[in-house]
Amino acid sequence: MLSLVTFLPLIGALAIFILVRNNVELAKKVALGTSVLTFLLCLRLYAGFDTTIATFQFTEEANWLPAFGVYYRMGIDGISLPFVLLTALLTPICILASWDVIQKHVREYMIAFLALESFVIGVFCALDFVLFYILWEAMLIPMFLIIGVWGGPRRVYAALKFFLYTLAGSVLMLIAVLSISIKGGTFSIPDLMEIPFGFNFQAWIFLGFFISFAVKVPMWPFHTWLPDAHVEAPTAGSVILAGILLKMGAYGFLRFSIPMLPDATRFFVPLVFGLSMVAIVYTALVALVQSDLKKLIAYSSVSHMGFVTVGLFSLNQQGVEGSILQMVNHGIVSGALFLLVGVVYDRLHTREIARYGGLVIRMPVYAVIFMLFTMASVGLPGTNGFVGEFLILVGAFLANKAVATVAATGVVLGAAYMLWMYKKVVLGDIRHDDVKAMMDMNKREIAMFVPLIVLVFWIGFYPGPFLDMFHVSVEHLLIQANTVKTGSAALAMY
């Protein structure tokens, strides 16, 4: 079942590559059908998932390279399942968003998107380090192509920057993976979680993982590739980048750093808190002065992910659960905001905030949907953004009151730049003649937002089912995080 969910999109991509030659419409339909079917299979996976079990479920194992101790191992727990579901949800929305927008090499574009979905789901399901690393690296190729081939005027520069930053981090991760696997005598991720490593070894491995995952999150000061990638990527590329790919770094902290290296994790908490506070405040201030819609949302993503890392390294139930939920929320809300930018960009072919204004007069449906996701982004009670931010702030307050106070300022700054953007784009009088000719959203565009709107209110008013999904797994993670593996009593103080 898990392998089918993982590789069904890749099978769809191969089908388009082999069977669909000159029929663009058929290629789009096969891509959409495959991604929808993958999402339905993920819902079945969710229906069969036991939320009372902390260990991995739906596990699959097969010989791959047994002479080298490498096996095909797959499985999910309550931490990986939300990201699998989010990936499966956003991919068909991205394909729908690209339906009329992508005009060149459409068949190849659909292949790239399905391959990307397959590799990303595989990353969240892999339980063998070799398999994980291969899928992690494979994901770079379709994303590089999506930015570099179908992006904006500076697409090659942005794609190369994205690739080089991520690859540099991946090299450090490879060294860390090889070191910990050789030291532990296995590539099995669950087995490595149970092995006690000395503190010095943990510290070096933690730093290797940390830089790799910090680039992907991205944390300050490793974030500079993100605005360029977002600005130049096509709309769907920005959605999948913000919605899914940024979560892979935080997932790495949850899957490897915290459970495998608990003593080093606790030791480096002040470092992570410091970088996160800078990210929250500094990038929020940078977002305030942006004139480009995509850049503003990109910098807001860095600020929001700062909240996530604060919650994760609070190392308590509220903080970690809030962070996981906030990552899901950010995938929903930032994805929707990038889709909303794409809607107006398709009509006016500019992202300059000053070129808009008064859209509520010509595009009332657009204005309402934009307002909804703006409120979700600033964490208005009743929306999904509030639940995640509230839990993170509670967790941060329990861990460190000063960090919680600084993080709270990010909420205020976030409200300031989001409401300023909404005012400049949607409210006021129409200042330009071409804006007067803009048409409101069509049925296809509205359909893209329906599932996201449902989730905003569902999580906002009734987050229980979502928190239940990973509650037991987080409890188990925190037991691992608070275990002193090195046996050094001095380390328990951190």
Side-chain angles (χ1 to χ4, degrees):
M1 179 67 175
L2 209 53
S3 295
L4 178 62
V5 168
T6 302
F7 294 108
L8 181 60
L10 200 58
I11 293 169
L14 288 171
I16 295 174
F17 179 73
I18 296 170
L19 302 176
V20 182
R21 290 292 177 185
N22 300 312
N23 192 332
V24 170
E25 291 302 315
L26 182 58
K28 289 192 283 190
K29 289 175 182 174
V30 171
L32 183 62
T34 304
S35 60
V36 170
L37 184 57
T38 304
F39 177 63
L40 294 176
L41 287 173
C42 285
L43 288 182
R44 187 178 171 188
L45 204 66
Y46 172 64
F49 186 80
D50 188 342
T51 56
T52 63
I53 299 175
T55 52
F56 293 99
Q57 302 178 42
F58 305 103
T59 53
E60 298 171 4
E61 183 169 325
N63 283 335
W64 187 8
L65 298 168
F68 297 96
V70 178
Y71 294 86
Y72 174 82
R73 296 188 181 94
M74 302 281 276
I76 55 171
D77 63 356
I79 292 173
S80 48
L81 180 58
F83 300 109
V84 172
L85 289 168
L86 185 63
T87 307
L89 170 68
L90 288 181
T91 302
I93 292 175
C94 288
I95 291 173
L96 207 56
S98 309
W99 203 262
D100 294 328
V101 177
I102 300 300
Q103 298 291 331
K104 65 175 183 179
H105 307 305
V106 177
R107 174 171 160 267
E108 289 77 9
Y109 179 85
M110 296 300 165
I111 290 172
F113 244 98
L114 290 177
L116 180 63
E117 180 183 21
S118 208
F119 298 146
V120 172
I121 291 178
V123 164
F124 292 130
C125 298
L127 293 183
D128 184 280
F129 256 136
V130 175
L131 180 63
F132 173 87
Y133 187 78
I134 289 173
L135 292 168
W136 178 282
E137 291 300 292
M139 175 275 304
L140 285 178
I141 300 170
M143 196 65 228
F144 173 79
L145 293 173
I146 288 169
I147 298 172
V149 176
W150 293 279
R154 298 175 69 243
R155 57 186 179 275
V156 175
Y157 166 77
L160 284 172
K161 194 172 180 180
F162 160 76
F163 193 89
L164 290 175
Y165 265 68
T166 310
L167 186 65
S170 297
V171 171
L172 291 174
M173 184 171 73
L174 177 61
I175 295 170
V177 165
L178 290 175
S179 300
I180 197 170
S181 299
I182 291 171
K183 184 90 170 178
T186 178
F187 288 104
S188 168
I189 292 170
D191 290 348
L192 285 168
M193 290 178 182
E194 306 302 325
I195 297 175
F197 297 107
F199 176 74
N200 289 336
F201 180 77
Q202 283 191 42
W204 284 110
I205 299 302
F206 180 92
L207 290 173
F209 278 137
F210 177 75
I211 294 173
S212 176
F213 299 145
V215 169
K216 190 71 85 177
V217 167
M219 295 180 71
W220 183 89
F222 307 102
H223 68 287
T224 58
W225 62 270
L226 185 68
D228 290 317
H230 270 309
V231 167
E232 298 303 324
T235 297
S238 294
V239 173
I240 212 74
L241 191 61
I244 304 297
L245 266 58
L246 303 191
K247 314 302 180 295
M248 291 170 62
Y251 176 76
F253 289 136
L254 285 163
R255 180 60 71 226
F256 308 126
S257 304
I258 295 175
M260 291 182 189
L261 313 165
D263 304 314
T265 296
R266 293 191 297 276
F267 181 79
F268 285 110
V269 161
L271 169 69
V272 179
F273 277 168
L275 295 179
S276 300
M277 286 190 290
V278 174
I280 291 170
V281 177
Y282 169 71
T283 54
L285 291 171
V286 174
L288 271 170
V289 298
Q290 295 304 308
S291 59
D292 183 297
L293 280 166
K294 268 193 170 182
K295 272 194 175 181
L296 190 152
I297 300 170
Y299 280 110
S300 79
S301 292
V302 180
S303 184
H304 279 116
M305 290 306 290
F307 275 94
V308 168
T309 48
V310 164
L312 289 182
F313 284 83
S314 296
L315 299 179
N316 52 49
Q317 195 81 28
Q318 295 89 342
V320 177
E321 288 194 20
S323 290
I324 296 173
L325 188 62
Q326 189 65 359
M327 284 192 272
V328 175
N329 293 337
H330 182 261
I332 295 166
V333 175
S334 67
L337 289 171
F338 279 116
L339 287 173
L340 286 161
V341 173
V343 168
V344 292
Y345 181 81
D346 292 341
R347 287 158 173 74
L348 217 56
H349 300 291
T350 178
R351 294 183 303 270
E352 286 296 315
I353 294 173
R355 288 284 290 112
Y356 294 95
L359 287 186
V360 67
I361 298 169
R362 292 292 306 160
M363 305 175 68
V365 175
Y366 178 85
V368 171
I369 294 176
F370 199 168
M371 172 56 80
L372 169 64
F373 286 105
T374 300
M375 292 297 106
S377 180
V378 304
L380 187 76
T383 65
N384 58 343
F386 172 77
V387 184
E389 283 188 354
F390 177 76
L391 285 172
I392 288 173
L393 288 175
V394 171
F397 188 82
L398 293 173
N400 189 312
K401 294 179 177 59
V403 172
T405 304
V406 174
T409 63
V411 177
V412 179
L413 291 170
Y417 62 69
M418 288 304 297
L419 293 175
W420 174 82
M421 178 180 69
Y422 188 82
K423 170 181 171 291
K424 300 293 285 185
V425 173
V426 177
L427 303 180
D429 298 325
I430 297 178
R431 299 186 297 272
H432 302 280
D433 290 339
D434 48 4
V435 174
K436 293 179 182 175
M438 292 176 70
M439 302 297 291
D440 209 345
M441 296 167 69
N442 58 40
K443 291 179 181 177
R444 178 185 61 82
E445 291 169 332
I446 294 172
M448 296 186 305
F449 292 97
V450 170
L452 303 178
I453 292 170
V454 170
L455 285 170
V456 164
F457 289 118
W458 185 0
I459 299 174
F461 283 102
Y462 187 47
F466 297 90
L467 294 171
D468 290 343
M469 193 191 315
F470 42 78
H471 182 76
V472 174
S473 295
V474 170
E475 280 184 338
H476 181 65
L477 175 76
L478 291 173
I479 291 172
Q480 294 172 309
N482 290 305
T483 301
V484 182
K485 284 190 174 181
T486 59
S488 169
L491 291 170
M493 63 184 289
Y494 293 100

